[in-house]
Amino acid sequence: MAFSFFQKIGRAIAGRSRVDDDTLDAIEEALIESDMGVDTTLKVIDNLEERVDRDKYLSQDELRGMLREEIAALIPPSGPTQLTSSPYIILVVGVNGVGKTTTIGKLAYYWKNQGKKVLLGAADTFRAAAVDQLDIWAERAGVDIIKQQMGSDPAAVAYDTAKAAVARGADVVLIDTAGRLHNRIDLMNELTKIRNSVRKVVPDGPHDVYLVLDASTGQNAFAQAKEFSRATDISGLVVTKLDGTAKGGVVVGVSDRFGIPVRFIGVGENIKDIKPFDKDSFVAALFNPEDI
Ligand code: GDP
Ligand code: MG
């Protein structure tokens, strides 16, 4: 994966064999530009500085290795959700346009290909096109969908979906939501209502709440993570649109700052453009020689 934000970091250390203030400044600038956030960037730089004080002269490989280690250390244990119960219900939240519906379509396809029975719930009843859009993804992925009319109660759709999941023996259920950030109380109430109606059918559900963030929005993603974490318990992140953005440091910054595991990353608009997040390969790709 040769993302453009990795190239900047690679360039920052290319040709430097001594870790002096200039080198640290260049790395700091590249991390800030990638939208890793100031707090996380300073942690990386401080830890790096502490380590290199003991050993000022480093090979390029050593410096890259250390930077990878320091960045990896800040990402909480991550990776795709293990489907530990059946039906395993995942609520998908996030503001309009970040890629929730697209992500649900891709995840439906991902789990279906692993032999899982997938069911979608169209609880974004707010926009006219939202239900139709999820319908199209259900068809593409070849999975079932539970829906009602536009404007109907999202909690009622979530209830129907949970009921159908149990009746049909679904393994994994993905519930789409509207993600209106009109105000925190309304958002909290709406998400709580959806949760409660799932629980009437599946008492320990929803088993996961995925917050979808668009990497290309940079610092906005931090503000969204803050608002949604206040409104409900977020148990995983999906960071979309990592294809062709220079802002991919968001993955590291948001997961570090909010302590939320990264489940998947979105790398395009097609059904296969989703990858289970693997922190080791993510940091390994940080400065591949071909990226520099
Ligand atoms: P929602 O409002 O959160 O449900 O967002 P949608 O799923 O409707 O997606 C909004 C737009 O983002 C659509 O044009 C998608 O094709 C696009 N999109 C979603 N995920 C990705 C991704 O990983 N990469 C790119 N390039 N586009 C994406
Ligand atoms: Mg949508």
Side-chain angles (χ1 to χ4, degrees), residues 146-192:
I146 300 300
K147 59 188 175 182
Q148 292 182 7
Q149 306 293 347
M150 179 211 156
S152 57
D153 178 8
V157 178
Y159 179 84
D160 282 359
T161 306
K163 273 275 194 200
V166 172
R168 299 179 192 186
D171 299 306
V172 56
V173 178
L174 296 153
I175 300 179
D176 200 8
T177 64
R180 280 172 295 156
L181 251 190
H182 27 23
N183 74 61
R184 192 182 302 154
I185 303 297
D186 285 354
L187 179 71
M188 199 182 302
N189 288 344
E190 182 156 313
L191 295 177
T192 305

Side-chain angles (χ1 to χ4, degrees), residues 101 124 127 133 176:
T101 306
D124 177 358
R127 281 182 312 118
Q133 197 193 347
D176 200 8

Side-chain angles (χ1 to χ4, degrees), residues 1-12 14 64 68 281-292:
M1 252 183 282
F3 295 128
S4 51
F5 65 96
F6 290 149
Q7 293 175 19
K8 284 197 182 160
I9 301 170
R11 262 185 240 118
R64 286 191 195 108
R68 281 190 190 116
S281 50
F282 191 79
V283 293
L286 270 171
F287 349 83
N288 280 335
E290 69 264 26
D291 287 345
I292 295 172

Side-chain angles (χ1 to χ4, degrees), residues 92-106 124 127 130 133 137 140 176-179 212-214 238-244 265-270 273-274:
V92 179
V93 305
V95 303
N96 198 18
V98 289
K100 291 181 296 299
T101 306
T102 306
T103 296
I104 289 171
K106 294 171 181 176
D124 177 358
R127 281 182 312 118
Q133 197 193 347
W137 278 109
R140 266 184 210 148
D176 200 8
T177 64
V212 181
L213 297 172
D214 172 348
V238 178
V239 184
T240 61
K241 310 189 195 181
L242 274 167
D243 44 312
I265 54 176
V267 292
E269 295 188 275
N270 295 316
D273 293 335
I274 192 147

